[in-house]
Amino acid sequence: MDFQINRDVKFKYNHDFLNKAERLKPELHQVKITPQRLVKVVADKKNVYGYTAVNDTRDISRLSDYYCGKDNRLILDLGDHQVGHFSIDIDSVGSPMDAPLFLHLKFAELPVELVENSTEYKGALSKSWLQDEYIHLDTLPQRLKLPRRYSCRYIMLDVIDTSPKWQAVFSNPVFMASSAVKQQDVVPVKTDDELINKIDRVGLKTLQDCMQQVFEDGPKRDRRLWLGDLRLQALANYATFDNQNLVKRCLYLFGGLPAEDGRITTDVFTFTKPIPDDGFFFDYGLFFISTLFDYYNHYQDVPVVTDLYPVAKKELDAVLTAVGDDNLVHLGKKWFNFIDWNMKFDRETAAQAVLIYALKQFVFLAKLADNQANISKYQQILDRLEKAAKEKLFDSKQGLFMSGPKHEINIASQVWMALAHVLPDTENEQLMAQTLIELFPVHGITTPYMYHHIVMALFETNHQQVAIKLMKDYWGKMVMYGADTFWEAFDPDNPQASPYGSLAINSFCHAWSCTPVYLIRKYITHEYKD
């Protein structure tokens, strides 16, 4: 092992674990996708983003008959969301080619992206993520093969200029889609509720397109292995594609890249050699324990637990430094607890609950991999944390948990305390019943990530019908708005909102939104038992 420097953070590389991860790297399945039709993007007041794709009057089977000069445009529709590489034949017609072809290609997951003017983008993230290509071709004919990978359904071919003497002609467009898994390996659910069936199909496609050489958060952006996303993707994977090696690979990547102080990075860059990011989230680091626990629970793979348990223990020990003498979590300035993109609610009680949630799973793993003294040590810590949560954070008059110095009541506190099962089962059910009275309908939650936890807490506390309704109201609304894959951020109260200040940079195929495939099979059809 050796130490690497990433800004001000020292990382301790475990090359044995990283080599194991490398050996588990999958060969991606390649599928040739031929565009299904030509479309135009038109204004649509009924669409949440104001635009929709409709059939072009031109027939894609006659693509090579359509000559394109200055300011002419073609939009190809792949028929569904895909992740992969694009190529197309381009030739010239008319007089000899007396000037280069200046071509703008744009790849879009939703029609609205084709309307967004990329040159005016002023979002918080780098505009280099935008899927725009400006290309000069000095000679034709040739087959244009773009080296970059794209995440899209629609491909715009915008001829900026040729010359007055000649025009461009396009033919044989091919999109080579890639994934670590095959869609046909999973049978979509068939219930009496067609909306549930549609949600499942869109969720499966979302998961498939995010399963690349790692579980990516979003194939458009950021294309990274994030711990919070991984935990939810792995659960969805167990209930569907059941790809063990990809989960194991991701666990070893995180296990091989801890910081010197034991903290586990929030995310890993994997397109070259594995590189840990220099950010650390309170909840994400703990979810390494949860992901390892869920992995063992599904596969009973003791050697992986034996390897990675020490990494989990060091992460837990680092997080426990945030616990004060009062046995409560105090985040302070050192710790950031993600929970959801809405940054306006207090997170300390949710942090206490996430710690209890992960600590219960850690104690289970300790019984597989550690000595009795350590098992007892962490069980005692767990007991103290639960006792403090019940005595100092729970308001028995309101029947809800409070958070922070202002005793704030928010939905995240209740949901995570319910998932951590801090209260006995009957009282836990009452907790969510009171949550339904005081904090429903849900407002101010911006991500499918947090909606997953709300729905799961409802299922876990015997509020099944409300859970199903919320799933249909939230993910079902994305389906109604034309989602081929589920989105990174979606607030039904403010659909136009973006965490980054621009819809152009939003990911409309995002890992943490795929979990209905797990929830449906676990709690509705009971096809999957973990």
Side-chain angles (χ1 to χ4, degrees), residues 444-465:
I445 298 301
T446 63
T447 62
Y449 177 78
M450 185 59 200
Y451 268 91
H452 162 85
H453 295 113
I454 298 171
V455 171
M456 191 165 178
L458 290 167
F459 276 125
E460 287 283 301
T461 56
N462 298 317
H463 296 90
Q464 183 172 26
Q465 294 309 311

Side-chain angles (χ1 to χ4, degrees), residues 58 67-74 101-104 156-163 166-168 170:
R58 294 169 289 185
Y67 302 161
C68 296
K70 181 177 181 178
D71 296 331
N72 291 149
R73 174 178 295 175
L74 296 167
L101 169 63
F102 189 13
L103 182 64
H104 173 208
M156 184 182 77
L157 306 171
D158 197 6
V159 176
I160 297 175
D161 212 347
T162 52
S163 90
W166 67 275
Q167 295 175 301
F170 301 94

Side-chain angles (χ1 to χ4, degrees), residues 434-506:
Q434 191 65 21
T435 300
L436 290 172
I437 294 171
E438 299 293 338
L439 298 168
F440 269 62
V442 178
H443 294 294
I445 298 301
T446 63
T447 62
Y449 177 78
M450 185 59 200
Y451 268 91
H452 162 85
H453 295 113
I454 298 171
V455 171
M456 191 165 178
L458 290 167
F459 276 125
E460 287 283 301
T461 56
N462 298 317
H463 296 90
Q464 183 172 26
Q465 294 309 311
V466 183
I468 293 172
K469 183 180 185 304
L470 183 58
M471 187 188 303
K472 290 168 67 174
D473 287 347
Y474 188 71
W475 282 272
K477 189 165 286 188
M478 282 187 263
V479 171
M480 291 168 58
Y481 287 153
D484 298 305
T485 50
F486 288 127
W487 308 335
E488 172 186 17
F490 177 57
D491 181 353
D493 293 334
N494 186 14
Q496 295 281 345
S498 166
Y500 318 108
S502 172
L503 282 176
I505 209 74
N506 277 24

Side-chain angles (χ1 to χ4, degrees), residues 129-153:
W129 282 118
L130 300 178
Q131 298 185 120
D132 285 84
E133 304 295 345
Y134 290 87
I135 295 174
H136 287 81
L137 298 176
D138 293 318
T139 60
L140 296 174
Q142 65 171 282
R143 184 158 188 82
L144 176 63
K145 295 183 178 180
L146 297 176
R148 191 174 184 226
R149 197 194 74 183
Y150 302 97
S151 177
C152 64
R153 172 173 174 171

